[in-house]
Amino acid sequence: PVLYANATQINAIVPYAVAGTGITNLQLQYGGTAIPVGGIPVTDSTPAVFTLDASGEGAAAVLNQDNSVNSPTNPAARGSTIQVFATGEGLTTPAGITGEITGSNTKQPQLPVTVTIGGVAATVAYAGSAPDAVSGLFQVNAVVPPGVTPGPAVPLSLIVGTARSQTNATIAVK
């Protein structure tokens, strides 16, 4: 399913059916003309944390324990639980259905999920599909470690299996 498209960007959901293929072919179609892009590698997971400005860098798409948006002016307290929104969790149990709206039928990734905040391991309270969202929107609830150094841009990393998310997503911690 295509979620968004314009002249310079296409956001699409990678189908669960490509799992285990090693390489899959991507083809775009515009104005009735097929544009072959070529083979792209398929991995077990490729986690990526969404960021507030959609650049993949800086302030992560994170909600604080009170469901407010995390920011330097609204940091998360150490010891509180945050909600991190990401993609790329890989196969799930029960099996995900490409393009499905999850409703309350959430699914958990088959691979282990860990989180670090400021380089410190965080306790993962929940890792699975985000309720009432398109399949592939991945939510991780993690406890901000009490020992993390506070600041307005503390590095946040999500690991699924052996794959790590980008290194430049951050949260604010007080």
Side-chain angles (χ1 to χ4, degrees):
V2 175
L3 300 175
Y4 172 82
N6 71 18
T8 60
Q9 177 178 329
I10 299 171
N11 296 355
I13 296 173
V14 176
Y16 288 105
V18 304
T21 61
I23 294 179
T24 192
N25 288 314
L26 177 65
Q27 184 179 55
L28 304 175
Q29 189 167 344
Y30 179 74
T33 302
I35 306 164
V37 176
I40 56 173
V42 176
T43 60
D44 291 338
S45 68
T46 307
V49 175
F50 289 108
T51 58
L52 293 178
D53 67 2
S55 71
E57 299 179 358
V62 167
L63 297 179
N64 291 330
Q65 188 162 315
D66 63 0
N67 290 322
S68 63
V69 176
N70 180 275
S71 70
T73 58
N74 190 35
R78 289 175 285 178
S80 67
T81 300
I82 59 170
Q83 299 171 52
V84 180
F85 294 94
T87 190
E89 77 272 24
L91 294 177
T92 62
T93 301
I97 299 170
T98 302
E100 165 187 61
I101 302 299
T102 58
S104 60
N105 182 23
T106 58
K107 296 159 177 54
Q108 284 63 52
Q110 292 180 0
L111 297 170
V113 176
T114 57
V115 173
T116 62
I117 299 173
V120 180
T123 299
V124 174
Y126 171 80
S129 51
D132 299 319
V134 68
S135 185
L137 178 58
F138 179 41
Q139 178 180 330
V140 179
N141 298 353
V143 178
V144 179
V148 73
T149 302
V154 178
L156 169 72
S157 185
L158 175 64
I159 302 99
V160 180
T162 59
R164 181 179 296 271
S165 65
Q166 73 271 38
T167 59
N168 46 9
T170 62
I171 65 166
V173 177
K174 62 179 173 181

